Amino acid sequence: MEDIELVERQLGRRPRAFVRVAVRCPFGKPGITEQAAFDDDGRPFPTQYYVTCRHLVAAISRLEAAGGVERWSRAAQEDGELARSLAEAQAEQRRIRPELDMGIGGATRGGSLKCLHAHAAFALARPGYELGDRILEELPALWPDSCCTP
């Protein structure tokens, strides 16, 4: 089965602006995909790295629902190392996708994080992003014990 078909199964819809699988889960299935800056209709697609693994999506969603966006936004403002990490990652995102001039997940301003999924995906796709790594460390398990892609 083609990667795009697997991603479609994971998402329950055809992915927009799909370029490739950037990270695979331990079972060889797509975990993180890379998206083009614009979809087939020419609309901007600000999220370059997208979480597709159902297990990972659900785990990050639970973290967000428990106040994770606000907590990690505060941590990135108060902790110098995390602030530096975020600034460097936002600058890297703008360098690799200059046509949109947006940070991770389409961020256009500093301050609060928009979506932990985008930061987790960026950390997995581009290792060395400290803030994203710390967000991922908070998850009970990065990957499931068995494949969650039907």
Side-chain angles (χ1 to χ4, degrees), residues 37-119:
F38 298 92
D39 68 14
D40 292 339
D41 295 327
R43 294 176 295 179
F45 197 93
T47 304
Q48 181 167 9
Y49 298 110
Y50 201 90
V51 180
T52 62
C53 168
R54 290 177 179 180
H55 166 83
L56 195 51
V57 168
I60 298 167
S61 294
R62 285 189 293 274
L63 182 59
E64 284 186 349
V69 172
E70 296 81 9
R71 191 165 35 80
W72 283 108
S73 293
R74 207 169 32 257
Q77 292 168 353
E78 296 170 357
D79 180 312
E81 182 181 359
L82 293 182
R84 211 169 16 264
S85 170
L86 176 59
E88 289 170 2
Q90 298 287 37
E92 180 180 357
Q93 178 65 56
R94 284 184 167 86
R95 273 193 309 277
I96 58 180
R97 256 184 154 184
E99 62 273 29
L100 291 184
D101 191 31
M102 295 179 176
I104 295 170
T108 56
R109 60 182 173 73
S112 68
L113 307 179
K114 287 179 71 173
C115 168
L116 297 185
H117 294 82
H119 290 272

Side-chain angles (χ1 to χ4, degrees), residues 7-29:
V7 171
E8 187 171 349
R9 279 183 159 185
Q10 290 173 320
L11 300 177
R13 62 172 171 75
R14 193 88 175 152
R16 284 181 50 214
F18 178 83
V19 173
R20 68 181 181 94
V21 173
V23 176
R24 293 186 183 278
C25 74
F27 307 101
K29 301 294 192 293

